[in-house]
Amino acid sequence: MLILGLVLVLAACDTAKEFTLKIDATEGGTVTPKPGTYKHPENTLVDLKVVADDGYEFTKWEGDKVAIVDAEKGEYKIKMDGNKSIKAIFTAIGEDPVDPEDPVDPEPFIPTEPVPANPAGEKIVDINYYEIEKGGSVEVVQVETNDVLSVVAPSGATIFAYDVGDFSNYGEIQFYVCAEDEVQLKPILQNPDWNFHLAPTVIINGDGQWKLVIVKIEDYGKEYKDGSDLDLTDVKKFAFELATDGNFCMTNPVGVLKEDSEDPGEPGGEDPVDPEEPEEPFVVTEEPPVVDGEAIHALSEYELREDPYGGDKVIDASKVVEIGTKEALYIKANAGYVLEKVDPIKDFTKYSAISFYIAANKEVQIDPIAQNSEFDFFKAPTVTIPGDGEWHEVRIDPTTYGDGYSSVEDPLDLTDVKKLAFEFKTDAQIYMTAPVGVLK
């Protein structure tokens, strides 16, 4: 019986899911990690670096989707949410990298019309993590200063993202599409059992104008479904299958909360509505309370960015203001924006809590984030602040970083905190005091 128990324990310890990463490269440069086959725990973000030899340049990655960290420095990441195979392509400078015998893909369509402001809602997944299967390409491009997805793909190809989570609070999925020719998209959701739930096909007119696409959550499964009913609390795969060849751009889809959803009529192909009058600035007159603790950063050092995964774009929508004799940071942010400060490594082991105050004019949800010097991600559980205009204390136990999400299996080393950040899960207009470390 003792031997059997030991075998069972060993077997249980061997159940951590791992995926294989195969790396290859053409001649003309080096790749780190070097070409070979590696195993990584599920959802690990693997750092990649390419360096071209003299007379060569790095052209692209072939194979599975690779996210850009800093293209100029040759830095990339890949998320291990499945077995992956990638190949770094280097070409001699001045050499045509396209094999003349290969079919030439059409040039991606880039809109000339300004990108509308994305609908108010929760970002479903970071825009860099969309992939495509069954042919074609999907990549993040900039139209003016906005990141959008450029899709060039044949009929039958599918744009998708994995492990997207809980959709139960959403009434609709909304995003904009711009195309030269008519595009038809089939919205799909799948659970971990891979049962298929298809919503009615969305048709986008091909007139070069941005069209608002609206998919009602209740419509998933109405067109077709197999197996069990859709569990909206556990969505494994979020996807759109092309029912036509497509060459178009789309904004990052967002989940519109049920209380914010309105009946827009037929889904898909809607012209963007005129924006409403700008929201009046929210004003707080009561001085913020003071937290007894050790200052971590000055308020003026925090930056508001569009992307929690290392994007370079800084949003000019935050400023330090005086309220009575105290200072606070005024922030106006869209869902998905992140307030962050990258700093020389700090030791959080001496803190029992990270504490600060927030006042908001409507309910706000924020994900606290910490990153180590390897830039692994550790999210603490989501914080909800009431929208009553009063000051509310936020206290984060440092040991809970990773309880909300972790990109690696090991817990955060609290002696090695490189980055402190706060991701907005909802649109927000708030005042915030400087986070301090409450000493044990």
Side-chain angles (χ1 to χ4, degrees):
M1 291 298 291
L2 178 61
I3 294 174
L4 177 60
L6 179 59
V7 170
L8 290 173
V9 169
L10 291 174
C13 293
D14 195 37
T15 58
K17 186 178 290 187
E18 287 188 332
F19 290 115
T20 299
L21 172 61
K22 182 180 179 182
I23 301 174
D24 198 2
T26 62
E27 65 176 11
T30 58
V31 181
T32 305
K34 65 183 180 181
T37 301
Y38 303 87
K39 286 188 177 294
H40 295 281
E42 184 179 16
N43 290 326
T44 299
L45 288 173
V46 180
D47 292 316
L48 305 167
K49 187 173 179 65
V50 294
V51 178
D53 294 340
D54 290 341
Y56 285 81
E57 61 184 354
F58 173 70
T59 306
K60 62 180 179 178
W61 288 100
E62 285 186 350
D64 289 299
K65 177 70 174 176
V66 174
I68 299 171
V69 176
D70 189 328
E72 290 186 2
K73 295 181 180 179
E75 296 175 354
Y76 301 84
K77 285 182 183 289
I78 188 167
K79 185 177 182 181
M80 297 304 297
D81 49 12
N83 293 324
K84 300 293 177 76
S85 178
I86 56 176
K87 184 176 184 179
I89 306 299
F90 299 93
T91 56
I93 294 175
E95 176 184 309
D96 184 358
V98 178
D99 185 337
E101 295 182 0
D102 288 342
V104 178
D105 291 331
E107 285 293 318
F109 165 64
I110 303 298
T112 56
E113 293 294 315
V115 182
N118 222 21
E122 293 183 358
K123 179 175 62 177
I124 293 170
V125 68
D126 182 81
I127 196 169
N128 289 290
Y129 286 105
Y130 283 95
E131 304 177 57
I132 197 163
E133 58 188 2
K134 299 181 182 177
S137 64
V138 58
E139 62 178 334
V140 179
V141 300
Q142 280 208 332
V143 177
E144 296 176 324
T145 58
N146 298 282
D147 285 341
V148 298
L149 285 175
S150 170
V151 181
V152 182
S155 176
T158 302
I159 311 157
F160 67 93
Y162 280 130
D163 298 321
V164 290
D166 188 350
F167 276 42
S168 61
N169 290 326
Y170 301 153
E172 299 165 349
I173 306 300
Q174 295 189 13
F175 56 99
Y176 284 96
V177 173
C178 187
E180 276 190 316
D181 299 309
E182 182 180 288
V183 175
Q184 296 184 16
L185 300 176
K186 298 179 178 180
I188 298 167
L189 291 182
Q190 289 181 270
N191 286 140
D193 57 11
W194 299 115
N195 289 330
F196 205 80
H197 300 268
L198 181 68
T201 299
V202 174
I203 299 174
I204 299 97
N205 298 328
D207 58 5
Q209 303 293 315
W210 289 97
K211 304 294 181 182
L212 178 62
V213 174
I214 300 174
V215 183
K216 294 182 178 180
I217 297 297
E218 63 189 35
D219 286 345
Y220 281 100
K222 284 188 176 180
E223 189 73 10
Y224 172 79
K225 71 174 182 178
D226 63 1
S228 59
D229 291 337
L230 177 61
D231 178 4
L232 289 172
T233 66
D234 190 12
V235 176
K236 178 71 173 178
K237 185 175 182 180
F238 171 62
F240 296 94
E241 180 183 345
L242 276 73
T244 57
D245 290 349
N247 188 350
F248 60 94
C249 285
M250 61 185 282
T251 61
N252 195 5
V254 298
V256 179
L257 299 176
K258 289 177 180 178
E259 58 266 29
D260 296 331
S261 301
E262 296 179 359
D263 185 2
E266 291 299 316
E270 303 288 336
D271 287 317
V273 296
D274 291 333
E276 298 177 357
E277 289 297 318
E279 186 178 3
E280 285 295 320
F282 164 51
V283 177
V284 171
T285 56
E286 181 185 354
E287 283 192 1
V290 176
V291 179
D292 185 14
E294 181 178 85
I296 299 175
H297 304 297
L299 279 173
S300 58
E301 294 179 323
Y302 284 90
E303 293 179 328
L304 188 65
R305 295 179 181 269
E306 273 192 340
D307 180 6
Y309 299 93
D312 291 330
K313 185 173 180 182
V314 178
I315 307 301
D316 185 20
S318 63
K319 60 181 179 180
V320 178
V321 298
E322 290 187 355
I323 303 176
T325 60
K326 305 292 191 307
E327 284 189 342
L329 190 64
Y330 169 74
I331 303 166
K332 189 172 183 180
N334 293 340
Y337 282 11
V338 64
L339 185 73
E340 68 174 31
K341 176 66 176 78
V342 180
D343 199 75
I345 294 170
K346 289 206 174 263
D347 183 354
F348 276 26
T349 58
K350 57 187 173 181
Y351 301 147
S352 63
I354 308 300
S355 179
F356 54 95
Y357 279 86
I358 286 180
N361 64 344
K362 60 183 179 182
E363 183 177 279
V364 175
Q365 293 186 340
I366 296 174
D367 278 352
I369 298 171
Q371 288 183 265
N372 57 20
S373 55
E374 297 296 320
F375 285 95
D376 298 320
F377 256 73
F378 301 88
K379 283 187 178 182
T382 301
V383 174
T384 301
I385 299 96
D388 56 7
E390 302 293 326
W391 289 103
H392 294 272
E393 185 180 12
V394 175
R395 291 181 73 88
I396 304 158
D397 181 344
T399 63
T400 65
Y401 281 109
D403 287 359
Y405 168 78
S406 176
S407 63
V408 294
E409 289 188 353
D410 294 333
L412 173 64
D413 179 359
L414 292 174
T415 66
D416 180 31
V417 179
K418 176 73 173 177
K419 178 177 174 181
L420 185 66
F422 305 92
E423 182 182 355
F424 291 90
K425 304 298 289 181
T426 56
D427 291 350
Q429 190 181 176
I430 66 169
Y431 292 86
M432 171 179 172
T433 63
V436 300
V438 180
L439 297 174
K440 292 180 178 177

